[in-house]
């Protein structure tokens, strides 16, 4: 976390002068200097850095350079939109991708398998912005999305966002189930007379789920950060859009806070996955 | 039983196989995996199917269980179980027969158990419907485990598969197979993955259960040593055909086919190696200790992997390090290669202590000590051609690319590989060929010490013999000292001049190979020798 915090700090300081960006383009040097002093940017870097760290520990995240409001307030305003979008997308990709992958694995080599795998490669390779534009087109032409309610509003951006991870979920669950199906213990279970549905339910699926948990963790970790492009395309008032705007206007405190929250979710998601592993896989548990 | 002609058979057979033929897919290396196989199994008898890998012996076992993979489409012939014709392959009605009438156990027992479920769950699953009351079920499982000589049934039942040893896992799997008291047990190489002492006890157990439960046992193996131990009758399988069958003793005493003679010969190849020229001392170990530390920093547990080991090896000499798994023999090998933290003691290479070398000196030393590992499948980078795999070492040590490739092609020739193989990738080779490649790769650096860590344990007997021959030939040619690590006494006897027997990290006996085999002094060595599959079946006129 500290590394993430420091990197964010360093990169932002070197990326340009926020005071110059904030001041009107025809402002004189004096005005810019005044801004610089007001924002505390004239102090030496190390002092800025320690002040920043001190603030973090005390829960002081700073104020937006533009609106002057506390960054966490702005962030929390935007967060529900992003979560709404991200979680919907996550569930779409999970509940479409995993069954598709499992289905393809069980019918390996069939035409259906080929269709599913072809689709998932396509979904994975399709750039977000392109698919987003397509979705807008479809929504506008055939569904008249502007008349739809809340649910319909979130559906199209969520499908756009979920498509890529749906593809990777499908491929991943297919390959992990295939590996498990051919494991010796599946053979042995068959030789012990265990019926097909029991073999699948109690032997194959739990084992196939282990690698999937990692993937689920990764995509949950990217919940906040993953939707930058999609939010731009759909003009979705979420964190991603906020991030893009803050970067463009060199809103230091805002960018710092967003990147910080993103890395925080990543780390937390990974921690949760590791704990979940302990629960699923007895081989990891230590006496 | 009306449809069986049990001529001369006193008891009705449990299993009869008539003219079983299974076709291979078009691109297979022959037309039929098994062809015209006839078998008959009586209750209380063990029939061994012997053959090398690829002979179709497992296919027969799987056909009987109705579990042939769906890629094998052509299946002909009839299989009768207790006089009833068995259904088509993979027919759903098989699940009522499996484990009730017939069971199968596989090579690696710990892989036959689902790693995520407790053993209790996996056993209960088989008999779920029979016992509704918990106490009854518990008692039933207890008896089942006692039958396979697992006394601490509570601990076993509450363990996950990774928490029990390989031998225990094989016992659990046998218990699972016999839970519903089937009349037929098919055992597909069930002891191949185990060390000798465990192997002996599992063989004894299967034999005991056979008599106790009046089981018909179909035992699939590649090892005539195991056959001599357990079989009542033998079928020798070659390229999918049974080429010879009969009573075990009769086959062992007077095999008719040359192939059978060859297999028996391989299993009992015991000839002592002549004590050849012994050169200068290249490696000397003195009171070497390796200690593994585990646990967190306040609760450090120390495991002594190697305890006070001393020995020396001369160039041209082969030293065998023999012991069961866990005896510390691999840790010792790693220590010699300085891949393991050494706790105390000294290692001298040609008189200089190698424990305090700087990085550059170490790099030069590494060149002189090479290792060949057990599993030739994972020891080769799948994305490198054979030529670049072999020439990589010399190039790292400053040989020009053309020169290195010259060395590599020469070694390919010396190790008996075709010239055309140099541009091919590892997956195009068989296990034996890959081991040859690994040896060539090790020799490319002209080592003075070659360590072979279970280098032939993953191979078939006939391939084993070829690779051992290769080691000998290469040693005569290049004169390196060979440190041969193995759990298999027959292998050790075939190649070693001197032998160290290790147990729990300590050397319990050392001396000349022929003396140790003739008159072992330590009780543990005796145990090892006695538990190795029988190898002297009486003298034979052996082909050589």
């Amino acid at each position: 976390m500290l590394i993430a915090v420091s990197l964010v700090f360093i990169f932002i300081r070197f990326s340009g002068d926020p005071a110059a960006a904030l001041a009107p383009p025809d402002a004189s040097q004096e005005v810019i200097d005044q801004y610089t002093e007001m924002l505390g940017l004239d102090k030496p870097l190390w002092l800025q850095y320690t002040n920043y760290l001190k603030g973090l520990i005390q829960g002081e995240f700073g104020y937006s350079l533009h609106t002057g409001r506390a960054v966490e307030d702005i962030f929390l305003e935007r967060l529900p939109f992003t979560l709404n979008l991200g979680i919907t997308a996550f569930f779409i990709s999970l509940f479409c991708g995993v069954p598709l992958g499992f289905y393809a694995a069980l019918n390996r080599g069939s035409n259906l398998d080929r269709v599913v795998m072809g689709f998932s490669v396509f979904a994975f390779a399709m750039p977000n912005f392109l698919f987003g534009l397509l979705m807008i087109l479809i929504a506008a032409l055939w569904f008249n999305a502007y008349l739809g309610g809340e649910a319909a509003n979130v559906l199209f951006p969520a499908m756009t966002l979920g498509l890529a991870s749906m593809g990777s979920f499908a491929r991943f669950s297919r390959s992990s189930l295939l590996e498990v199906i051919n494991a010796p213990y599946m053979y042995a279970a068959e030789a012990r007379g265990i019926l097909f549905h029991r073999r699948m339910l109690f032997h194959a699926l739990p084992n196939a789920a282990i690698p999937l948990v990692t993937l689920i963790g990764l995509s949950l970790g990217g919940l906040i950060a993953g939707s930058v492009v999609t939010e731009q395309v759909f003009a979705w008032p979420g964190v991603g859009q906020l991030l893009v705007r803050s970067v463009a206007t060199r809103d230091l405190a805002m960018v710092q806070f967003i990147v910080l929250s993103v890395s925080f979710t990543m780390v937390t998601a990974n921690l949760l996955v590791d704990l979940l592993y302990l629960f699923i896989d007895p081989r990891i548990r230590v006496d | 039983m009306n449809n069986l002609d049990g001529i001369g058979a006193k008891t009705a057979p449990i299993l009869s196989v008539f003219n079983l033929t299974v076709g291979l897919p078009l691109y297979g290396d022959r037309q039929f995996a098994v062809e015209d196989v006839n078998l008959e199994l009586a209750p209380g008898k063990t029939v061994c199917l012997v053959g090398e890998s690829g002979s179709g012996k497992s296919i027969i076992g799987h056909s009987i269980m109705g579990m042939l993979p769906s890629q094998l489409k052509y299946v002909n012939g009839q299989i009768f179980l207790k006089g009833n014709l068995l259904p088509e392959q993979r027919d759903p009605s098989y699940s009522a027969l499996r484990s009730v009438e017939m069971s199968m156990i596989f090579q690696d027992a710990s892989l036959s158990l689902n790693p995520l479920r407790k053993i209790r769950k996996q056993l209960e699953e088989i008999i779920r419907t029979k016992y509704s009351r918990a106490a009854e079920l518990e008692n039933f499982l207890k008896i089942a485990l006692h039958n396979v000589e697992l006394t601490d049934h509570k601990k076993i039942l509450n363990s996950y598969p990774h928490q029990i040893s390989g031998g225990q896992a094989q016992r659990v799997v046998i218990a699972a197979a016999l839970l519903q008291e089937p009349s037929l047990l098919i055992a597909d190489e069930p002891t191949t993955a185990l060390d000798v002492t465990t192997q002996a006890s599992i063989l004894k157990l299967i034999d005991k259960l056979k008599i106790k439960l009046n089981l018909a046992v179909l035992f699939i193996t590649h090892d005539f040593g195991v056959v001599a131990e357990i079989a009542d009758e033998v079928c020798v399988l070659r390229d999918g055909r049974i080429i010879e069958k009969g009573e075990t003793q009769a086959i062992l005493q007077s095999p008719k086919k040359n192939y059978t003679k060859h297999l028996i010969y391989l299993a009992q190849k015991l000839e002592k190696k002549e004590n050849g020229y012994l050169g200068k001392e290249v490696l000397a170990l003195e009171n070497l200790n390796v200690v593994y530390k585990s646990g967190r920093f306040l609760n450090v547990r120390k495991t002594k992997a190697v305890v006070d080991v001393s020995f020396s090896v001369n160039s041209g000499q082969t030293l065998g390090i023999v012991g069961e798994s866990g005896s510390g023999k691999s840790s010792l090998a790693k220590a010699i290669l300085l891949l393991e933290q050494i706790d105390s003691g000294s290692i001298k290479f040609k008189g200089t202590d190698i424990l305090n070398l700087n990085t550059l000196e170490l790099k030069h030393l590494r060149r002189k000590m090479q290792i060949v590992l057990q599993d030739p499948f994972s020891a080769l980078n799948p994305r490198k051609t054979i030529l670049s795999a072999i020439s990589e070492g010399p190039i790292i040590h400053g040989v020009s690319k053309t020169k290195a490739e010259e060395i590599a092609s020469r070694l390919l020739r010396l190790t008996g590989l075709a010239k055309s193989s140099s541009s091919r990738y590892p997956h195009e080779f068989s296990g034996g060929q890959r081991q040859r490649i690994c040896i060539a790769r090790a020799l490319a650096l002209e080592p003075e010490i070659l360590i072979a860590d279970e280098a032939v344990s993953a191979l078939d007997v006939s391939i084993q013999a070829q690779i051992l021959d290769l080691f000998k030939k290469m040693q005569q040619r290049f004169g390196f000292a060979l440190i041969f690590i193995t759990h298999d006494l027959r292998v050790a006897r075939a190649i070693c001049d001197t032998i160290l027997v290790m147990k729990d990290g300590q050397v319990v006996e050392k001396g000349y190979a022929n003396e140790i085999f003739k008159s072992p002094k330590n009780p543990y060595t005796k145990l090892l020798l006695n538990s190795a599959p029988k190898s002297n079946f009486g003298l034979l006129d052996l082909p050589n």
Side-chain angles (χ1 to χ4, degrees):
Chain A
M1 270 312 262
L2 183 69
I3 295 172
V5 169
S6 312
L7 276 181
V8 170
F9 181 84
I10 292 166
F11 278 123
I12 292 176
R13 297 300 133 150
F14 284 113
S15 63
D17 188 356
L22 198 58
D26 54 350
S28 65
Q29 188 60 40
E30 270 168 49
V31 178
I32 294 178
D33 286 347
Q34 215 177 334
Y35 268 118
T36 311
E37 204 188 319
M38 192 179 84
L39 298 173
L41 295 172
D42 55 340
K43 293 180 186 129
L45 263 185
W46 64 268
L47 196 61
Q48 289 185 35
Y49 180 61
T50 42
N51 281 343
Y52 170 57
L53 282 190
K54 237 184 262 167
L56 284 189
I57 291 163
Q58 294 162 355
E60 281 275 335
F61 299 106
Y63 298 91
S64 164
L65 296 189
H66 282 272
T67 56
R69 298 171 56 206
V71 285
E72 61 266 29
D73 289 343
I74 306 179
F75 180 81
L76 286 179
E77 236 165 57
R78 298 293 194 109
L79 190 62
F81 290 97
T82 294
L83 286 184
N84 185 8
L85 177 62
I87 290 174
T88 316
F90 172 73
F91 279 112
I92 289 177
S93 58
L94 187 67
F95 288 120
C96 294
V98 172
L100 274 181
F102 282 167
Y103 188 78
L106 290 180
N107 298 288
R108 188 190 184 182
S110 68
N111 283 333
L112 254 155
D113 178 23
R114 264 171 239 138
V115 169
V116 169
M117 281 306 101
F119 168 73
S120 69
V121 170
F122 169 78
F124 191 66
M126 187 91 159
N128 250 344
F129 62 88
L130 185 62
F131 191 68
L133 290 176
L134 271 178
M135 278 305 217
I136 291 180
L137 221 84
I138 293 171
L141 287 180
W142 288 310
F143 292 97
N144 199 358
Y146 301 103
L147 296 178
E150 187 106 342
N153 275 341
V154 78
L155 192 62
F156 283 97
M159 272 161 76
T160 311
L161 186 60
L163 189 75
S165 46
M166 191 206 297
S168 54
F169 271 126
R171 285 202 80 80
F172 218 72
S173 43
R174 174 179 182 266
S175 62
S176 65
L177 187 62
L178 271 183
E179 200 169 299
V180 169
I181 283 180
N182 292 321
Y185 54 78
M186 292 301 293
Y187 233 47
E190 190 179 356
R192 273 179 230 134
I194 315 282
L195 295 173
F196 179 78
H197 69 270
R198 278 198 71 88
R199 289 206 304 274
M200 284 300 137
L201 216 57
F202 294 100
H203 296 265
L205 290 185
N207 277 291
I210 293 178
L212 271 181
V213 167
T214 316
L215 196 65
I216 290 175
L218 277 180
S219 54
L220 276 182
L223 211 58
I224 294 181
S227 51
V228 174
V229 175
T230 313
E231 286 186 10
Q232 278 296 308
V233 172
F234 284 91
W236 192 260
V239 176
Q241 204 188 38
L242 181 66
L243 178 66
V244 172
R245 219 180 56 202
S246 309
V247 169
T249 55
R250 308 239 188 285
D251 194 341
L252 290 194
M254 198 67 239
V255 176
Q256 272 167 359
F257 185 75
I258 294 175
V259 177
L260 211 61
S261 346
V262 169
S263 46
F264 178 74
T265 22
M266 283 281 185
V267 172
T268 319
N270 277 325
L271 186 70
L272 284 179
V273 165
D274 284 349
L275 291 177
L276 196 59
Y277 268 139
L278 280 187
F279 177 72
I280 307 179
D281 194 343
R283 285 166 295 185
I284 300 178
R285 283 175 229 160
V286 194
D287 311 314
Chain B
M1 313 288 148
N2 44 11
N3 42 11
L4 290 181
D5 52 343
I7 304 163
K10 288 196 186 90
T11 41
I14 297 286
L15 177 86
S16 328
V17 177
F18 292 110
N19 304 324
L20 178 70
T21 300
V22 177
L24 280 174
L26 273 181
Y27 44 82
D29 58 350
R30 56 175 191 257
Q31 198 185 352
F32 297 111
V34 294
E35 203 175 343
D36 270 335
V37 164
N38 289 289
L39 271 181
E40 203 154 272
L41 262 78
K45 294 275 181 218
T46 300
V47 173
C48 263
L49 270 180
V50 198
E52 292 174 84
S53 59
S55 61
K57 52 194 197 303
S58 292
I59 295 275
I60 297 177
H62 283 96
S63 317
I64 298 167
M65 292 298 287
M67 281 171 56
L68 276 184
S70 53
Q71 292 94 308
L72 302 178
K73 294 206 171 60
Y74 180 80
V75 183
N76 208 354
Q78 290 150 316
I79 304 173
F80 292 92
L81 186 76
K82 289 184 177 167
N84 301 314
L85 184 63
L86 289 179
E88 299 262 304
Q89 290 296 316
R90 297 179 305 284
D91 193 285
S93 61
Y94 257 113
S95 54
L97 294 170
R98 290 182 195 136
S99 150
V100 181
E101 293 289 348
M102 55 192 187
S103 278
M104 184 160 180
I105 56 176
F106 300 91
Q107 179 166 355
D108 196 331
S110 39
L111 294 179
S112 300
L113 295 165
N114 183 345
L116 303 187
R117 308 189 85 200
K118 283 188 179 167
I119 286 164
R120 173 191 300 279
K121 278 259 157 69
Q122 303 196 43
L123 290 180
E124 281 175 3
E125 185 175 47
I126 302 168
I127 39 153
R128 177 163 295 275
T129 46
K130 272 197 190 159
Y131 297 88
S132 47
R133 275 190 310 191
E136 249 177 61
L137 185 65
E138 179 78 17
N139 196 40
F140 180 79
L141 293 180
K142 179 180 159 189
I143 293 169
L145 290 182
H146 275 255
N147 278 340
V148 293
E149 292 160 11
L150 288 169
T151 40
D152 193 354
H153 69 279
K154 278 214 177 80
K155 190 173 161 228
I156 297 279
L157 285 174
N158 291 325
S159 298
Y160 287 97
H162 70 281
Q163 292 169 322
I164 59 177
S165 72
Q168 285 173 324
Q170 196 56 275
R171 286 169 195 270
V172 167
V173 169
I174 293 173
L178 300 181
L179 220 46
Q180 309 212 52
E181 295 174 10
S183 38
L184 169 68
L185 177 69
I186 302 172
D188 190 354
E189 303 252 15
T191 59
T192 311
L194 304 170
D195 59 51
V196 274
T197 25
T198 321
Q199 178 179 38
S201 63
I202 296 285
L203 289 179
K204 226 172 262 163
L205 174 69
I206 292 178
D207 216 36
K208 230 191 253 171
L209 290 170
K210 172 189 83 176
I211 294 162
K212 188 171 168 189
L213 306 172
N214 206 21
L215 271 177
V217 180
L218 181 62
F219 199 101
I220 299 171
T221 180
H222 67 272
D223 187 344
F224 250 104
V226 172
V227 173
E229 201 76 38
I230 196 170
D232 298 306
E233 275 172 53
V234 190
C235 297
V236 182
L237 206 64
R238 185 183 197 183
D239 293 339
R241 288 172 168 275
I242 291 181
I243 56 164
E244 185 163 9
K245 68 171 158 184
E247 299 269 316
T248 307
Q249 280 316 311
I251 299 254
L252 287 176
Q253 306 293 336
S254 51
K256 292 190 183 59
K257 293 280 196 297
N258 275 336
Y259 182 69
T260 314
K261 284 181 195 164
H262 180 64
L263 285 182
I264 295 175
Y265 163 72
L266 289 173
Q268 64 177 160
K269 195 173 176 187
L270 301 169
E271 91 277 53
K272 165 194 136 282
K273 201 186 159 193
E274 292 297 315
N275 282 333
Y277 161 78
L278 294 185
K280 288 200 183 103
E281 182 181 286
V282 281
L283 185 78
L285 268 66
E286 215 165 293
N287 298 326
L288 196 75
N289 283 287
V290 176
V291 179
Y292 290 125
K293 297 186 179 88
S294 62
R296 266 139 289 176
F297 63 104
L298 286 178
N299 180 25
V300 181
R301 269 166 299 175
K302 291 186 176 178
T303 315
K304 290 182 178 170
V306 176
V307 185
D308 282 335
V309 171
S310 313
F311 66 83
S312 66
V313 199
N314 301 350
S315 60
Q317 183 193 348
T318 303
L319 169 78
I321 300 178
V322 182
E324 290 177 74
S325 49
S327 60
K329 51 194 199 308
S330 287
S331 304
L332 182 58
K334 282 192 197 159
I336 296 170
L337 291 168
L338 300 179
L339 297 172
E340 202 72 78
Q341 190 69 42
I342 287 155
D343 232 55
S344 66
S346 76
I347 305 177
K348 282 186 177 148
F349 177 76
K350 287 182 157 180
T352 43
D353 198 319
I354 60 172
L355 291 181
N356 301 310
L357 295 181
N358 64 33
T359 324
L360 190 68
E361 288 168 326
L362 199 60
K363 187 181 168 189
H364 288 304
L365 177 74
R366 291 242 186 268
R367 177 175 187 165
K368 301 289 174 207
M369 306 206 288
Q370 290 297 313
I371 188 164
V372 176
L373 298 165
Q374 171 169 10
D375 183 3
F377 288 87
S378 50
L380 289 166
N381 185 338
R383 292 177 195 280
K384 270 193 155 152
T385 62
I386 301 313
L387 193 69
S388 64
I390 299 176
S391 57
E392 186 185 25
I395 291 173
I396 288 173
H397 285 279
V399 177
S400 76
K401 193 167 179 239
T402 38
K403 187 81 203 304
E405 284 178 355
E406 235 169 72
I407 295 173
S409 348
R410 183 170 141 253
L411 279 167
L412 276 179
R413 190 164 41 82
L414 283 177
T415 49
L417 288 158
K419 206 178 165 198
S420 59
S421 51
S422 62
S423 59
R424 289 159 68 191
Y425 288 89
H427 69 266
E428 299 173 56
F429 296 90
S430 69
Q433 285 171 321
R434 287 188 211 208
Q435 203 54 291
R436 283 170 193 272
I437 296 166
C438 291
I439 293 170
R441 180 175 64 176
L443 294 178
L445 290 166
E446 297 166 11
E448 299 194 28
I449 298 170
L450 185 64
I451 299 178
D453 189 356
E454 299 274 10
V456 297
S457 307
L459 306 171
D460 273 349
V461 262
S462 60
I463 314 284
Q464 259 183 10
Q466 291 169 12
I467 298 294
L468 289 178
D469 270 348
L470 181 66
F471 271 117
K472 283 185 209 163
K473 240 193 251 166
M474 292 296 116
Q475 190 182 35
Q476 275 163 14
R477 193 173 180 109
F478 296 100
F480 50 79
L482 179 61
I483 298 178
F484 203 94
I485 296 171
T486 181
H487 69 270
D488 192 336
L489 283 161
R490 287 177 297 175
V491 171
R493 192 165 186 177
I495 193 166
C496 300
D497 304 311
T498 49
I499 283 180
L500 289 182
V501 182
M502 283 188 78
K503 183 180 194 263
D504 299 333
Q506 283 171 318
V507 175
V508 294
E509 186 160 5
K510 62 178 167 183
Y512 288 110
N514 47 352
E515 279 168 22
I516 286 192
F517 281 102
K518 213 181 286 165
S519 52
K521 294 188 183 64
N522 188 284
Y524 179 70
T525 317
K526 285 180 194 160
L527 179 69
L528 272 183
L529 276 172
N530 290 333
S531 46
K534 264 181 217 159
S535 20
N536 45 341
F537 322 112
L539 286 172
L540 279 177
D541 199 13
L542 292 168
N544 191 1

